[in-house]
Amino acid sequence: MDIYYLTLFPEMYKGVLGSSILKRAEDKGIVNYHMINFRDFSHNKHNKVDDYPYGGGAGMVLKPEPVFEAMDSLKLDNKRVILMCPQGQPFNQKLAEELAEEENIVFINGHYEGYDERIRSLVTDEVSIGDYVLTGGELASMAMTDAIVRLIPDVLSNEKSHQEDSFSTGLLEHPHYTRPREYRGMKVPDVLLSGNHKLIEEWRYEQSLKRTRERRPDLLED
Ligand code: SAM
């Protein structure tokens, strides 16, 4: 998979894409990350990419030309183009699973008050990572990248681990325990020490249902 980030702040991605599983996925040749600074496509001698809004009002608006020209420079036919946007569809595991099958993903990261409305004609999806407003789309596209890349085959050493994650099954995941058997008076449930795999599976499923009912009853409606 190739992932392209149209951004004014490519340096923000270094730590996240250059660490842990996202880095390993690139080292293994499963994914390539490409930074495109659309300031490089500014027509302004001071490299400005924003301007005042028509009709007046607070804040600056991202101009269309740098974003359209940055997109033209990619020369990609088959692609999902995702506009990071608090007004977009909420990001979730189902969308992460769908995007993990794409060949090319382009993230357009806004900044400032907003972007010229005509930029929307370039995109296939508008996505929000939650009902709050960030300064820019970069953190949001990094969160999405992490959720997507870990689902690509061979990225995680144990495929089963993401198949059992919260949301993948439609439920929240069951509780986990490790050694010691007892810590500060808190004991590991006996069933996990029983060695009876059928009972353990049943206990985990019941715990998943209980957690989901208590914390996210909306998931059970689906
Ligand atoms: N004025 C805009 C509004 O009210 O919808 C918010 C602009 S915000 C300060 C700047 C940029 O950050 C947005 O264009 C978007 O790219 C990104 N952004 C902010 N919050 C986001 C969220 N919850 N999900 C995804 N992207 C977000």
Side-chain angles (χ1 to χ4, degrees):
M1 178 189 284
D2 285 277
I3 310 184
Y4 301 82
Y5 304 87
L6 269 56
T7 172
L8 294 173
F9 300 95
E11 68 281 3
M12 283 182 74
Y13 289 87
K14 274 192 195 124
V16 172
L17 303 184
S19 319
S20 182
I21 285 169
L22 295 185
K23 177 176 189 302
R24 222 163 51 210
E26 190 173 41
D27 291 345
K28 284 187 187 171
I30 298 171
V31 64
N32 299 301
Y33 310 113
H34 310 271
M35 299 298 143
I36 295 101
N37 189 336
F38 50 82
R39 202 178 288 289
D40 295 342
F41 297 86
S42 163
H43 292 197
N44 178 288
K45 68 174 181 212
H46 302 295
N47 284 341
K48 267 182 66 135
V49 291
D50 58 340
D51 212 332
Y52 294 99
Y54 277 125
M60 300 295 275
V61 174
L62 188 57
K63 287 166 69 59
E65 305 93 316
V67 180
F68 273 75
E69 291 175 30
M71 282 295 290
D72 290 345
S73 74
L74 299 182
K75 301 195 185 350
L76 296 172
D77 294 329
N78 187 10
K79 57 187 181 303
R80 284 291 274 272
V81 181
I82 298 175
L83 184 65
M84 300 316 308
C85 172
Q87 302 172 16
Q89 65 163 304
F91 184 53
N92 59 22
Q93 191 71 10
K94 191 162 172 283
L95 183 55
E97 284 165 10
E98 187 186 315
L99 292 170
E101 303 200 343
E102 293 291 335
E103 226 174 284
N104 299 299
I105 299 178
V106 183
F107 287 106
I108 302 180
N109 298 293
H111 237 86
Y112 315 120
E113 182 58 25
Y115 20 72
D116 186 285
E117 192 64 14
R118 288 163 288 193
I119 289 172
R120 288 203 148 87
S121 69
L122 291 169
V123 314
T124 56
D125 309 76
E126 295 187 27
V127 182
S128 162
I129 62 157
D131 289 347
Y132 42 81
V133 175
L134 300 166
T135 312
E138 286 76 11
L139 287 171
S141 60
M142 283 188 248
M144 283 186 66
T145 300
D146 190 302
I148 294 165
V149 169
R150 67 194 293 284
L151 298 177
I152 303 175
D154 300 328
V155 168
L156 294 184
S157 40
N158 182 354
E159 290 287 303
K160 230 181 148 216
S161 76
H162 78 67
Q163 289 162 6
E164 290 175 357
D165 276 342
S166 296
F167 309 110
S168 293
T169 58
L171 299 174
L172 300 182
E173 200 181 31
H174 56 78
H176 297 280
Y177 289 89
T178 185
R179 276 179 283 206
R181 279 182 180 215
E182 184 170 344
Y183 184 66
R184 298 196 179 195
M186 293 176 281
K187 290 184 179 160
V188 174
D190 288 340
V191 63
L192 296 179
L193 309 173
S194 69
N196 184 329
H197 294 293
K198 188 163 174 290
L199 280 184
I200 292 172
E201 280 311 302
E202 280 170 13
W203 179 85
R204 286 182 169 161
Y205 181 66
E206 278 162 21
Q207 292 293 317
S208 269
L209 267 180
K210 180 167 175 281
R211 283 223 153 156
T212 311
R213 213 176 284 125
E214 286 167 359
R215 298 176 186 206
R216 292 291 306 275
D218 56 300
L219 295 177
L220 295 172
E221 284 162 24
D222 291 342

